[in-house]
Amino acid sequence: MVLISNRIFGLILFFTFIFTNISFANNGYDLWLQYKKVENKQLLKEYTENIQAIQFFGNSETIKTALKELNIGLSGLFDNQNLFENDSPKNHLLVFGSESQLDTTYLNLIKTELSKVKKDGFVIKQIQLNGNSQIVISAKTDVGVLYGVFRFLRELQINNSLKDINIVDSPKIDVRILNHWDNLDRTVERGYAGFSLWNWHTLPDYIDQRYIDYARANASIGINGTVLTNVNANALILTPQYLEKVKALADVFRPYGIKVYLTARFSAPIEIGGLKTADPLDADVIKWWKDKTAEIYNTIPDFGGFLVKANSEGQPGPQNYGRNHVDGANMMAEALEPFGGIVMWRAFVYSEHDATDRAKQAYSEFVPYDGKFKDNVIVQVKNGAIDFQPREPFHPMFGAMPKTPLMMEFQITQEYLGFSTHLVYLPKLYEEVFETDTYREGKGSTVAKVVDGSLHNKKITGVAGVTNIGNDINWTGHHFLQANWYGFGRLAWNPHLKSEDIADEWIRQTFTNDENFIIPIKKMMIQSRETVVNYMNPYGLHHIFDTGHHYGPGPWVGSLPRPEWNPTYYHKADGFGLGFNRTKTGSNATAQYAPEIAKMYNDISTTPEKDLLWFHHVSWNHKLKNGYTLWDGMALKYQEGVNEVEDMISLWNSMEQYVDSQRFKEVKMMLNIQLKEAKWWRDACLLYFQQFSKQDLPNGVEKSSNSLKEFQSMTFPFAPGR
Ligand code: GCV
């Protein structure tokens, strides 16, 4: 037991305060960990009544980290030097420690709550001891205690009352992980917020403060893993030269409960191992992976495992040797098994040699392997069957592999949602996916229940997010896109949370607790996902982005050698109409869903209009539910999207008094870019599709001042993220 009462902490706090609040001003660097002074009188009173000193149990690095964070947080939120400087014993304590360390007096007072805690969950409870109210934070593990401390700080930041506080919360997912598509030269594939955070050149000797702040931010939302490198992998990361650098990062992240994972290039035994083959059934290859894995664990004892993209978009894999995904994944799993590591094997596969609908290929390739993977393999599946579009129906693999753990892969970076210049609140998209019913075990078999393992009693569960983090000072390029990192973490912790509640807590922590700001801004965030769908891909249109960089519209692109890389493959515009027939009269992709869903999608009258053109080739004159024809309705949707961005701008402009000047100005400039690009999408798409519909724009839709030719001739050789 240690009572924090010395001046050293006061000094640390003082410098931390200077560092975080002055030198960074408000450039957004502090994310949602702003820890601004509490002004709420009731909370100030409750705080003083409950907390006069801190007492903690345990001395692990994680417990010390929890203490450090508490110090940073409380000194920002309150004028509470007395917590750290006064030696006299106090009656009102903030007590924290794990079950195995906590004093039994406290344990007895929280035992009911603690018995409900699972894995790295925690308890925060106000208790009465000898007539004094105190607050106890405890957990089964030290990382759970750290999560409890972060949650406690969140409660304070969002001005929740401390009176009778009694929170028990546990993660519903085991592996809550970020995927960095970061290359060793620091470029980031589909990265729009600067270069990679990982400075491989100065590692392992130089530990950038950002590595620590990255870990703090992740731990604050329960993220417990990070894949440092791109799935389009470079085998060099597995060499001793780089493993030493990886170790340095792992050492920084460990106290925060974050494990490091790496992408494993399937051909690494050839490229860095000097073997002639990477055949997963070859004895030398098997040995190579076993030795390599042992070497990694020797360097990083808590290494998490491998993420593998195999036989996809040119990446090598077991099929190069006539083997299959099971052979490849199990070979690596066997190497990791003795150390407790896992393989995350991606199901993002489609082949130029397969003429069937791309949307069907992953399901066809993987579902027959259900039950064949080793226990430490988890198959990582994108939320939809194509590729992170503004809206996709859920991937039919969810629910279709009852014997295989499947983890969700979301994109946080906005490859197809406006890069880092469009304000789009993605937790709304994640929530839509999680809430969808797969009907695999009858009504109520939601994707969330597949992913949290409860539908089929899975042994490992996971949610991955392809990050939007780079070395931009505000981390994500756009201040509001921090909310997507935040919201991803919150939903990875509990996929049943509501995106609106997440937006609420994010705004309060990041900007202000003033309802005059929160209510309208929250509404704007929630609406923003539909807005981007409206001005990019209404009614189920998809993959009509310009080629390669995916910046802006390119519905006219139709001459790329791989058919499924062409937007024309997806929209199939012709004189009759628009859309991809995936019903039983078309590619029959609908048959990959449970019968209830297949039936709904096979019939145009029961297909939700948001997915119309995903599943049907629809006449330009088809009557929509609102009475408009498809052509008129679609044109009006594009216009609606533009109008909604205009509304976002007016709203933001009226919010100046609630936001610091730097973030206000930066968001304002970004919104203006978003408006310009929304108009570009509207005009380019409508001019292009008009060639087929041969109809005028309906009233209310603005005419483009550019010609289709002008849009088609635009090139962006240096668009980011390639
Ligand atoms: C990392 C899409 C992206 C690629 C990405 C790929 C994947 O095709 O455009 O940049 O590659 O998905 O998820 O593997």
Side-chain angles (χ1 to χ4, degrees):
M1 181 200 76
V2 183
L3 259 180
I4 296 305
S5 54
N6 61 40
R7 285 175 192 279
I8 296 174
F9 266 116
L11 286 175
I12 293 172
L13 287 170
F14 177 74
F15 286 115
T16 310
F17 181 75
I18 298 286
F19 188 64
T20 52
N21 291 296
I22 298 177
S23 64
F24 289 127
N26 224 335
N27 49 24
Y29 180 85
D30 288 339
L31 296 159
W32 48 89
L33 303 174
Q34 298 277 322
Y35 300 138
K36 282 197 294 210
K37 283 273 169 284
V38 169
E39 283 163 10
N40 180 312
K41 294 216 168 60
Q42 181 59 26
L43 180 58
L44 283 168
K45 184 164 170 282
E46 287 172 5
Y47 178 77
T48 328
E49 282 170 6
N50 283 280
I51 300 172
Q52 292 170 353
I54 296 174
Q55 187 175 6
F56 68 97
F57 296 84
N59 59 2
S60 70
E61 288 305 310
T62 298
I63 291 294
K64 287 185 202 150
T65 298
L67 179 66
K68 221 188 291 167
E69 192 65 31
L70 213 38
N71 287 329
I72 297 173
L74 295 183
S75 63
L77 291 159
F78 303 101
D79 296 315
N80 64 349
Q81 294 304 314
N82 59 336
L83 280 185
F84 314 104
E85 292 192 352
N86 192 335
D87 282 325
S88 62
K90 301 287 178 187
N91 295 327
H92 301 284
L93 301 175
L94 170 62
V95 178
F96 69 96
S98 72
E99 190 177 22
S100 61
Q101 305 279 341
L102 202 63
D103 187 284
T104 47
T105 316
Y106 291 110
L107 277 179
N108 286 335
L109 289 166
I110 59 164
K111 65 172 183 275
T112 314
E113 289 78 10
L114 210 47
S115 69
K116 294 184 200 146
V117 166
K118 296 192 191 73
K119 297 179 178 171
D120 288 331
F122 55 82
V123 177
I124 306 175
K125 190 175 178 199
Q126 186 191 49
I127 52 144
Q128 298 297 327
L129 193 61
N130 308 326
N132 298 313
S133 64
Q134 306 196 358
I135 289 176
V136 184
I137 303 175
S138 190
K140 302 232 153 101
T141 62
D142 285 359
V143 173
V145 174
L146 177 67
Y147 291 153
V149 162
F150 271 115
R151 175 62 180 270
F152 179 67
L153 290 169
R154 183 191 306 152
E155 293 295 303
L156 297 173
Q157 282 214 86
I158 67 182
N159 286 189
N160 275 351
S161 169
L162 292 182
K163 195 167 160 2
D164 300 328
I165 189 171
N166 189 355
I167 299 173
V168 178
D169 195 10
S170 306
K172 293 208 180 316
I173 302 285
D174 303 324
V175 181
R176 307 177 295 275
I177 194 166
L178 292 179
N179 287 186
H180 286 262
W181 287 354
D182 292 18
N183 299 312
L184 300 185
D185 64 2
R186 296 193 78 183
T187 56
V188 181
E189 184 156 347
R190 312 309 176 185
Y192 311 105
F195 286 93
S196 169
L197 285 182
W198 323 132
N199 189 337
W200 297 110
H201 182 65
T202 55
L203 279 166
D205 304 309
Y206 186 88
I207 299 301
D208 193 323
Q209 176 63 30
R210 291 191 74 141
Y211 304 152
I212 299 160
D213 291 330
Y214 165 87
R216 287 176 57 221
N218 280 323
S220 77
I221 47 177
I223 287 174
N224 66 356
T226 180
V227 184
L228 300 175
T229 46
N230 192 351
V231 287
N232 290 330
N234 187 327
L236 281 181
I237 194 69
L238 303 176
T239 59
Q241 185 191 4
Y242 277 91
L243 287 177
E244 197 194 357
K245 298 167 192 283
V246 173
K247 174 192 175 340
L249 289 173
D251 290 345
V252 173
F253 300 158
R254 187 169 300 111
Y256 291 89
I258 299 167
K259 280 188 183 180
V260 157
Y261 298 71
L262 293 174
T263 45
R265 186 160 163 89
F266 204 78
S267 49
I270 304 174
E271 288 156 15
I272 58 167
L275 300 187
K276 293 221 158 29
T277 176
D279 181 348
L281 301 191
D282 180 278
D284 289 340
V285 172
I286 295 171
K287 180 170 181 321
W288 188 87
W289 280 108
K290 282 193 172 158
D291 291 348
K292 180 50 72 184
T293 306
E295 179 193 337
I296 297 174
Y297 277 93
N298 202 19
T299 318
I300 307 160
D302 57 348
F303 178 66
F306 296 130
L307 169 65
V308 188
K309 172 175 177 178
N311 294 119
S312 163
E313 299 186 330
Q315 291 300 300
Q319 291 169 357
N320 299 35
Y321 307 94
R323 316 296 182 193
N324 61 38
H325 290 292
V326 177
D327 298 328
N330 286 354
M331 179 269 295
M332 286 192 182
E334 212 174 296
L336 288 156
E337 204 172 16
F339 308 99
I342 60 166
V343 178
M344 294 168 287
W345 192 268
R346 291 178 91 225
F348 178 68
V349 294
Y350 60 98
S351 163
E352 64 203 289
H353 307 297
D354 187 341
T356 50
D357 177 2
R358 169 174 167 186
K360 290 170 67 177
Q361 295 181 26
Y363 178 104
S364 308
E365 216 169 310
F366 275 85
V367 171
Y369 298 137
D370 190 25
K372 303 251 174 352
F373 291 99
K374 284 184 76 74
D375 281 354
N376 57 334
V377 176
I378 182 162
V379 175
Q380 182 166 315
V381 185
K382 289 189 181 181
N383 61 276
I386 299 291
D387 194 13
F388 300 135
Q389 298 303 292
R391 168 166 281 128
E392 292 196 42
F394 74 93
H395 201 304
M397 282 176 68
F398 289 111
M401 296 183 73
K403 297 189 212 120
T404 309
L406 296 189
M407 65 191 283
M408 172 65 74
E409 179 177 328
F410 284 127
Q411 205 173 38
I412 312 173
T413 192
Q414 293 174 209
E415 177 180 357
Y416 300 101
L417 286 120
F419 291 9
S420 274
T421 48
H422 293 211
L423 190 165
V424 183
Y425 178 61
L426 291 177
K428 184 74 187 146
L429 183 163
Y430 308 152
E431 172 187 64
E432 178 178 294
V433 177
F434 277 139
E435 280 180 345
T436 310
D437 201 336
T438 69
Y439 281 91
R440 285 294 176 185
E441 300 296 335
K443 199 165 161 40
S445 310
T446 58
V447 174
K449 288 187 189 163
V450 174
V451 174
D452 74 14
S454 59
L455 193 68
H456 294 126
N457 202 13
K458 294 288 167 60
K459 288 212 189 84
I460 342 173
T461 55
V463 176
V466 179
T467 79
N468 57 344
I469 304 166
N471 71 350
D472 274 6
I473 191 71
N474 67 13
W475 305 84
T476 57
H478 189 310
H479 294 289
F480 272 82
L481 304 192
Q482 297 175 351
N484 296 342
W485 174 11
Y486 181 87
F488 164 79
R490 298 287 290 122
L491 281 161
W493 176 274
N494 179 358
H496 304 272
L497 292 178
K498 295 283 155 235
S499 65
E500 198 171 329
D501 298 339
I502 296 171
D504 193 285
E505 61 187 43
W506 177 80
I507 299 171
R508 288 175 188 275
Q509 293 171 90
T510 310
F511 287 105
T512 171
N513 277 295
D514 192 324
E515 299 285 342
N516 294 320
F517 182 80
I518 295 165
I519 294 169
I521 293 298
K522 185 166 58 178
K523 207 162 149 222
M524 172 187 84
M525 288 168 71
I526 296 297
Q527 176 57 36
S528 64
R529 187 306 185 90
E530 207 56 42
T531 296
V532 73
V533 171
N534 289 342
Y535 66 72
M536 283 186 183
N537 287 192
Y539 290 117
L541 276 173
H542 53 286
H543 223 310
I544 54 172
F545 295 78
D546 201 357
T547 189
H549 49 61
H550 298 154
Y551 176 53
W556 44 82
V557 176
S559 58
L560 300 171
R562 286 186 66 158
E564 74 290 344
W565 280 355
N566 290 299
T568 51
Y569 170 95
Y570 297 96
H571 63 66
K572 303 206 183 306
D574 58 22
F576 171 81
L578 184 65
F580 199 131
N581 182 0
R582 295 195 164 99
T583 69
K584 53 189 175 197
T585 63
S587 78
N588 205 20
T590 49
Q592 293 183 336
Y593 288 100
E596 292 86 341
I597 307 260
K599 186 164 173 248
M600 172 182 78
Y601 285 140
N602 276 328
D603 182 344
I604 193 166
S605 70
T606 53
T607 301
E609 284 187 339
K610 63 185 171 59
D611 299 323
L612 191 63
L613 305 173
W614 189 284
F615 288 108
H616 299 272
H617 189 65
V618 182
S619 156
W620 294 113
N621 296 319
H622 167 82
K623 273 262 177 326
L624 297 168
K625 297 208 167 87
N626 60 13
Y628 289 107
T629 61
L630 173 66
W631 168 252
D632 285 355
M634 185 177 87
L636 286 161
K637 273 284 173 214
Y638 272 107
Q639 182 65 46
E640 195 177 316
V642 171
N643 296 345
E644 284 165 350
V645 181
E646 273 164 352
D647 292 345
M648 287 162 86
I649 293 175
S650 317
L651 175 68
W652 187 250
N653 289 344
S654 70
M655 291 286 131
E656 187 162 6
Q657 58 184 304
Y658 304 106
V659 189
D660 49 278
S661 61
Q662 183 173 356
R663 290 189 295 178
F664 177 77
K665 270 192 229 139
E666 288 173 358
V667 170
K668 185 179 161 110
M669 290 186 283
M670 287 296 195
L671 283 169
N672 286 326
I673 297 177
Q674 185 168 358
L675 179 61
K676 224 163 56 182
E677 296 187 352
K679 288 182 176 170
W680 171 29
W681 269 93
R682 176 197 63 195
D683 295 345
C685 290
L686 291 179
L687 283 172
Y688 172 75
F689 290 128
Q690 198 169 32
Q691 300 177 111
F692 302 92
S693 78
K694 304 208 184 307
Q695 298 185 34
D696 288 337
L697 291 176
N699 283 341
V701 179
E702 278 167 49
K703 281 214 170 66
S704 173
S705 45
N706 297 84
S707 68
L708 178 59
K709 256 211 165 101
E710 282 171 291
F711 289 123
Q712 288 174 320
S713 65
M714 287 163 72
T715 56
F716 306 95
F718 301 113
R722 296 288 313 269

